[in-house]
Amino acid sequence: MPIVDTFKSEIIAGLRETPKRIASKFFYDERGSQLFEAITQLPEYYLTRTEISILREHLPAMAERIGTGATIIEFGTGAGVKTKMLLEAVHNPRAYIPIDISREQLTHATTKLAERFPNLEIHPIFGDYISEISLPIPSDAGKNVIFFPGSTVGNFTPDEAIQFLRKAAALIGPDGSLLIGFDRVKDIRVLEAAYNDAQGITAEFNRNLIRRIGREFGVAISPEDFDHLAFFNSEESRIEMHLVSGDSRTLKLDDEEITFAQGEHIVTEYSYKYTPETFAAILTASGFSVQDRWCDENNYFEVCYATVDHK
Ligand SMILES: C[S@@+](CC[C@H](N)C(=O)[O-])C[C@H]1O[C@@H](n2cnc3c(N)ncnc32)[C@H](O)[C@@H]1O
């Protein structure tokens, strides 16, 4: 599963598009992962604590759905906080397969989980879950369950999400299922505050991409050269994060010259917000049937359990 070596080529390709784009998976170098953890603690960032509250309340029901002896495959483990909660609830899991593009996060999270669950087989995969994934253990050795929390699915466009989830369904086989968290459409002020926190941590997280580009390409460019912008695009039902160039500048990235106009935007993240109906439609189009759904008292966030269709 090649990943790190595509950083430079993907950055150059994205910066040659109009509008310029950087894939959100590149946020997660060591510093980016630490900043993301800080974001999850912010008062404005309701997503993490809301999803955790849903898990805390409904994990017994989720574990019942998952059943005994399942292999849990996680897309984007992060710090593994929700994973620990899930693995404590699931009945006698057969194995745990975390996949993450951040090597530091993956090492740190799996070390802690291995200490907490010494008898559990853990097979970490360092890589990009968008590229081809093959399971390190036979996929027919019991039920495979994908855990995909954090509303990370919202970083895909709806069409990309369907393509991705179809591949996921093929990976886990006909007995497979999916436990997935997504963020619901809500008051625009709540949405926009979550990506524009008062302490500026999200801005630092966004601008850390510039620091990473400077480091990996060996070019003199500073995060302060770009402004953070995040807003809700209601037509598309998504938060958009952009970086805005303060000045016009030309960067030499390996053999490519990339020119930025003053005020030019780079799109760095989409975070789609769904209603229960629009998200159920994504799951149906991806070959999953929704079996159960849980949400918080404010209707901010939803966790869905869906099984692979047998049609
Ligand atoms: C929004 S965070 C969510 C972390 C955690 N699952 C949670 O719910 O708090 C996204 C995580 O997915 C990882 N990630 C993002 N894009 C990825 C990709 N294409 N392949 C593998 N991991 C990815 C990041 O490194 C990060 O740990």
Side-chain angles (χ1 to χ4, degrees):
M1 210 185 302
I3 62 130
V4 190
D5 34 26
T6 70
F7 176 79
K8 285 184 163 189
S9 58
E10 288 195 47
I11 290 290
I12 289 172
L15 292 180
R16 292 178 70 184
E17 284 179 35
T18 311
K20 291 180 166 55
R21 290 222 48 180
I22 298 177
S24 56
K25 65 184 177 187
F26 293 128
F27 280 130
Y28 300 94
D29 63 358
E30 188 169 9
R31 185 178 160 81
S33 298
Q34 284 164 0
L35 287 167
F36 180 73
E37 279 319 297
I39 288 172
T40 66
Q41 307 296 319
L42 290 169
E44 297 92 336
Y45 197 80
Y46 60 85
L47 292 89
T48 306
R49 65 171 176 278
T50 306
E51 190 176 30
I52 285 179
S53 76
I54 297 171
L55 293 177
R56 198 167 282 137
E57 188 170 347
H58 298 291
L59 264 170
M62 296 173 189
E64 212 50 51
R65 285 280 186 188
I66 290 170
T68 301
T71 294
I72 309 290
I73 302 154
E74 185 169 13
F75 292 155
T77 296
V81 175
K82 296 168 195 164
T83 321
K84 175 171 168 283
M85 295 173 71
L86 179 71
L87 291 173
E88 280 172 348
V90 169
H91 311 300
N92 198 18
R94 175 178 184 273
Y96 170 58
I97 305 175
I99 308 170
D100 207 292
I101 200 165
S102 163
R103 192 188 283 279
E104 296 81 14
Q105 286 275 79
L106 188 68
T107 308
H108 183 68
T110 45
T111 305
K112 276 178 49 185
L113 290 167
E115 279 166 18
R116 172 66 187 80
F117 305 101
N119 298 321
L120 180 66
E121 257 185 58
I122 302 183
H123 301 275
I125 300 180
F126 165 53
D128 181 350
Y129 51 57
I130 300 168
S131 64
E132 288 308 313
I133 299 168
S134 50
L135 295 180
I137 53 175
S139 63
D140 53 0
K143 180 175 175 182
N144 295 309
V145 179
I146 290 175
F147 185 42
F148 197 16
S151 82
T152 311
V153 67
N155 297 148
F156 294 118
T157 64
D159 282 348
E160 288 168 351
I162 291 167
Q163 295 311 320
F164 179 75
L165 292 173
R166 278 191 186 149
K167 280 205 313 194
L171 177 78
I172 55 181
D175 297 328
S177 61
L178 173 67
L179 188 65
I180 187 166
F182 71 91
D183 197 18
R184 282 190 177 175
V185 177
K186 59 184 66 62
D187 187 327
I188 189 167
R189 287 163 300 187
V190 177
L191 286 171
E192 291 193 336
Y195 296 84
N196 289 288
D197 64 278
Q199 293 174 55
I201 310 279
T202 312
E204 220 181 311
F205 174 70
N206 195 9
R207 295 199 294 205
N208 183 55
L209 280 170
I210 300 296
R211 189 189 307 276
R212 182 168 182 191
I213 288 173
R215 184 182 68 239
E216 299 220 10
F217 284 97
V219 291
I221 184 168
S222 152
E224 284 70 44
D225 295 338
F226 287 78
D227 290 326
H228 164 75
L229 176 71
F231 61 92
F232 187 60
N233 176 339
S234 26
E235 227 161 80
E236 300 289 345
S237 196
R238 67 188 181 210
I239 285 282
E240 295 191 12
M241 286 219 300
H242 296 196
L243 286 164
V244 184
S245 181
D247 279 317
S248 58
R249 73 190 78 246
T250 299
L251 283 186
K252 188 141 193 315
L253 301 182
D254 289 348
D255 294 333
E256 298 277 338
E257 290 211 330
I258 306 283
T259 300
F260 297 84
Q262 185 181 20
E264 186 170 355
H265 291 211
I266 310 172
V267 179
T268 55
E269 184 173 82
Y270 290 149
S271 183
Y272 279 82
K273 310 300 172 186
Y274 291 101
T275 64
E277 294 74 27
T278 56
F279 196 73
I282 296 274
L283 289 175
T284 305
S286 312
F288 284 94
S289 299
V290 177
Q291 303 295 336
D292 224 336
R293 51 194 345 154
W294 302 272
C295 78
D296 57 295
E297 57 187 16
N298 295 318
N299 295 321
Y300 274 8
F301 201 95
E302 182 172 320
V303 179
C304 257
Y305 182 78
T307 50
V308 173
D309 277 338
H310 286 148
K311 276 185 267 162

